[in-house]
Amino acid sequence: MPLFINKTKQFFILLMLAVTISSAVAQNKGVDLPQKERDNVLSLAALAMVYKDWQTSRNGRGHNIGSILVDQNSTPVFWARNSVVVRDDSSQHGEVRLIQAFLNCPGIGKYMDGYTIYTSLEPCAMCTGMIAMTKVNRVVYVQDDPEYGHARQALVNIKFPRLFEQKTPKGLSEKSELEQGWATYSKKKGSAITDYLLTDEARTVYAKADQDLNTYKLKYPQNESMLLATQKFIKDAGPETFDQKMMERCPKP
């Protein structure tokens, strides 16, 4: 009898293992895994770029939110951070500053076909509208914004013709850490998500993203040049600059 029980137990263990593997295969079916890896790397880069100019006060540059722009080859080409305080302009979100400045770079034109924006926080209605109007192809954001996110769905609802693809790296540990941190903070404090992004807890997650980017181990060798370019891009990114100084970030011809 014990032998029969052991064999039955082994059978069910193997059966559960097979079901787990089949489920994983089914979930990844049709998924571009190298692209998923690129999205993870470049999402870490968006967080790391914000971390490099971290604000500790509401009276600093602006909120701890920022974006990077990536071309058709998954190469980062431009970055910008939220600067609503220092510019005394509530429209100066990271995505808006990035788009407005990049379109003024030589040879770019009025649209951004083929580009992807990686941003630390889900875009608001204003940024979503500008992203759509300038024909950005994709947006990948890290942290959900339960209060002011979901703006892309409004474009779907009104059948806006310039819809962009929008993703979030669900398996990224920094994403879950930030979202869990904000959920806990909001219950205790009842304030805005931008206040949470001033906390030491949030800063720790952003610092971890910077470290994870620098030590990232690739699964797909075809992403090596992208990773090296991204690491250098973030290393070279300094404090936020403005006006003509900001235009020095434009890609060199």
Side-chain angles (χ1 to χ4, degrees):
M1 182 66 71
L3 181 61
F4 173 76
I5 293 174
N6 286 338
K7 286 186 175 181
T8 303
K9 185 177 181 181
Q10 289 174 357
F11 170 78
F12 279 109
I13 290 174
L14 290 172
L15 179 62
M16 291 303 296
L17 181 60
V19 169
T20 301
I21 293 172
S22 298
S23 176
V25 170
Q27 287 178 1
N28 286 328
K29 188 176 181 180
V31 175
D32 185 342
L33 295 178
Q35 180 61 58
K36 185 176 179 181
E37 183 174 71
R38 291 192 290 274
D39 286 346
N40 285 343
V41 169
L42 291 159
S43 293
L44 290 173
L47 298 178
M49 185 269 298
V50 174
Y51 174 68
K52 292 195 67 174
D53 192 22
W54 189 260
Q55 305 295 292
T56 58
S57 166
R58 293 182 181 181
N59 299 318
R61 179 201 71 248
H63 304 308
N64 284 316
I65 305 168
S67 307
I68 63 174
L69 186 68
V70 173
D71 68 11
Q72 298 91 329
N73 299 314
S74 295
T75 302
V77 295
F78 210 82
W79 55 269
R81 303 180 181 98
N82 183 293
S83 301
V84 296
V85 177
V86 71
R87 302 301 278 180
D88 194 26
D89 182 346
S90 60
S91 74
Q92 293 302 287
H93 290 197
E95 298 95 327
V96 167
R97 299 193 70 243
L98 181 144
I99 291 170
Q100 288 179 331
F102 188 73
L103 289 177
N104 283 323
C105 289
I108 299 302
K110 65 179 182 178
Y111 294 123
M112 297 169 64
D113 309 64
Y115 288 92
T116 298
I117 291 177
Y118 289 82
T119 189
S120 60
L121 185 66
E122 186 177 4
C124 69
M126 174 184 66
C127 295
T128 297
M130 181 168 284
I131 289 166
M133 289 301 296
T134 53
K135 299 185 180 181
V136 174
N137 278 37
R138 294 179 77 234
V139 171
V140 180
Y141 68 87
V142 178
Q143 184 179 1
D144 289 356
D145 186 349
E147 295 176 313
Y148 300 109
H150 315 298
R152 182 185 177 278
Q153 184 59 44
L155 298 182
V156 174
N157 293 343
I158 65 171
K159 297 180 172 57
F160 192 77
R162 294 180 186 174
L163 284 179
F164 52 88
E165 180 186 2
Q166 184 163 275
K167 301 284 187 180
T168 188
K170 294 182 179 180
L172 198 70
S173 62
E174 284 83 356
K175 174 181 173 64
S176 59
E177 289 164 10
L178 287 168
E179 291 174 355
Q180 291 169 10
W182 163 239
T184 302
Y185 182 90
S186 63
K187 291 177 183 177
K188 293 180 179 178
K189 305 291 183 178
S191 55
I193 198 167
T194 49
D195 292 332
Y196 169 69
L197 292 175
L198 287 169
T199 65
D200 289 339
E201 178 185 352
R203 183 181 185 277
T204 298
V205 179
Y206 276 67
K208 176 175 172 285
D210 185 51
Q211 181 179 4
D212 287 350
L213 176 64
N214 288 324
T215 59
Y216 200 94
K217 303 299 182 185
L218 293 170
K219 293 183 179 179
Y220 301 96
Q222 62 263 48
N223 287 334
E224 183 177 2
S225 60
M226 175 277 306
L227 176 62
L228 293 175
T230 302
Q231 290 171 333
K232 183 180 185 305
F233 180 81
I234 295 302
K235 182 180 179 181
D236 292 344
E240 193 62 39
T241 55
F242 306 95
D243 304 320
Q244 192 56 42
K245 190 73 175 174
M246 187 179 187
M247 303 312 297
E248 294 177 5
R249 301 178 208 166
C250 289
K252 302 298 184 289

